[in-house]
Amino acid sequence: MARRWRGTATRMDFGLDDEQEMIVQTVRRFADRELRGWAADADRAGAPPERLHAAGAELGFFLDAVPAARGGALDGAYAHTTRALRGFELGRGCAGLAAVLETNVEPALAVAAWGTAAAQQALFASLAAGGLATFAHDSRGHLAIDDTTPELRVSGTLGPTPALATAGHVLVAARDVLFLLPTGNVARQPITPSGWRAAQWATATLDAHRVPADLVLARGAPARAAIAEILAWIRTSLAARAAGVATGAMEHAERYARERVQFGQPIGTFEALIRLRDDALTGAAAARLMALYAAWAIDTGAPDAGDAASRARVHAGDVVARATVDAVQIFGGYGFVNDYPVEKLMRDARAFEALYGDERLGRVLAARAEILTSGDPHGPVPR
């Protein structure tokens, strides 16, 4: 159910409905009791715990975007606002494990919306059997695609992308083509980056790889529109999770500041640290609200949904980078030791900036092109 923001000229209601409140509380308990408990060992191992899939499936992850008629749990329209609410709580728990729990959403929604019957059968059967899928955006143009025939020929490097090491399918957005790529005969190279180490990252190498026509979801202008919509979905989710990581970092910092004593008093009483934490929480609260607005815009079909999602992701990326560094500063020298949680959070923050393209650069290029092509009806500015 989409979040309801009911408004009049004098009043707006930002309250959650009963279902959303139940989801938030359930995911919060899961994040606090399970994800935070697993996070350190999963980070060191570079892999999620074996219990993650069973625990996540029990709470409705993995199949929540798969139609009920196809063995999933989705009955009706997908609620991105509810996803943002739960994403914030998952971010408080562990960003890397959250990425695994959320990985099936974009492929499932896209294939349901634009996929052929063959694509839907292939993906949904795999997911219903416990498989994973992921999304890869070729934002830098590393793939060479021959789309002059009904089937595609694809060459180049894909990723690095979370969950690609174990995913059975990848939804690929590249230039003017959107397609579903089964990974059974694709050469993959698992990697363990510094951030989201438990997210099962990998790259894939394609050499004139054939993609059947019935796995091509869209081409040309329809593909560009679909890719923009998918990016709005995932950027909103990333923004919510980043806000959760920033909030979690400050929760750890507050707990430590209450326990750590210097000069005969807890360091949490020092004005400088209070201000540091307060500013970080202000930024995280703003990032959470921006993510929720973007999700609401998607759910209601607002024309600014894509822009709202992009700006939410950019702001949340800035907030989480600053908040995690500030948390390390509050911990002092212990902040750099992986026996304490904030060192991991500082590394995790970087992944939010690296994924799915540089929106800031995109807006610079778009603004420059608009100025150069539109001209100035009022003439040059006097010097």
Side-chain angles (χ1 to χ4, degrees), residues 58-305:
E58 185 176 346
L59 292 176
F61 293 98
F62 302 117
L63 294 178
D64 64 302
V66 176
R70 297 285 191 163
L74 181 61
D75 184 12
Y78 190 81
H80 290 272
T81 311
T82 300
R83 185 191 188 193
L85 289 167
R86 82 179 186 194
F88 175 82
E89 302 300 335
L90 292 175
R92 288 181 55 255
C94 176
L97 299 180
V100 177
L101 291 167
E102 294 279 74
T103 190
N104 287 348
V105 174
E106 277 70 31
L109 291 179
V111 169
W114 303 293
T116 63
Q120 292 178 6
Q121 174 60 30
L123 178 65
F124 296 151
S126 173
L127 298 185
L132 295 179
T134 190
F135 170 64
H137 180 215
D138 184 36
S139 61
R140 298 185 179 182
H142 290 166
L143 295 180
I145 300 176
D146 180 0
D147 62 348
T148 57
T149 62
E151 72 171 12
L152 303 179
R153 290 291 187 93
V154 185
S155 299
T157 301
L158 191 64
T161 299
L164 181 55
T166 56
H169 293 83
V170 186
L171 176 68
V172 181
R175 294 195 332 230
D176 296 339
V177 184
L178 179 68
F179 60 94
L180 185 68
L181 176 69
T183 60
N185 59 348
V186 172
R188 288 176 283 178
Q189 300 78 41
I191 62 174
T192 307
S194 61
W196 300 10
R197 288 174 53 85
Q200 299 177 308
W201 296 75
T203 59
T205 302
L206 306 174
D207 184 8
H209 188 89
R210 294 187 177 186
V211 178
D214 56 10
L215 296 185
V216 180
L217 278 62
R219 304 171 189 247
R224 291 192 294 272
I227 291 168
E229 191 168 345
I230 295 165
L231 288 174
W233 302 340
I234 200 160
R235 284 168 175 164
T236 299
S237 178
L238 285 172
R241 285 181 261 159
V245 172
T247 302
M250 287 300 110
E251 291 171 350
H252 290 299
E254 180 189 23
R255 191 174 302 113
Y256 178 79
R258 288 177 179 273
E259 298 170 354
R260 176 65 168 166
V261 175
Q262 286 186 352
F263 309 111
Q265 58 183 319
I267 64 172
T269 63
F270 299 165
E271 181 180 351
L273 297 190
I274 292 173
R275 289 182 179 273
L276 200 67
R277 181 173 175 273
D278 187 67
D279 287 346
L281 288 175
T282 299
R288 179 176 179 273
L289 285 175
M290 289 183 71
L292 288 172
Y293 173 77
W296 173 82
I298 294 170
D299 286 337
T300 58
D304 68 336

Side-chain angles (χ1 to χ4, degrees), residues 30 34-53 93-101 191-201 338 341 343-345 347-348:
F30 175 60
E34 305 293 348
L35 295 186
R36 284 189 175 181
W38 294 334
D41 288 341
D43 183 71
R44 295 186 186 102
E50 294 181 1
R51 294 169 290 172
L52 179 69
H53 200 285
C94 176
L97 299 180
V100 177
L101 291 167
I191 62 174
T192 307
S194 61
W196 300 10
R197 288 174 53 85
Q200 299 177 308
W201 296 75
N338 64 13
E343 178 270 341
K344 170 188 176 298
L345 300 184
R347 289 187 281 107
D348 285 344

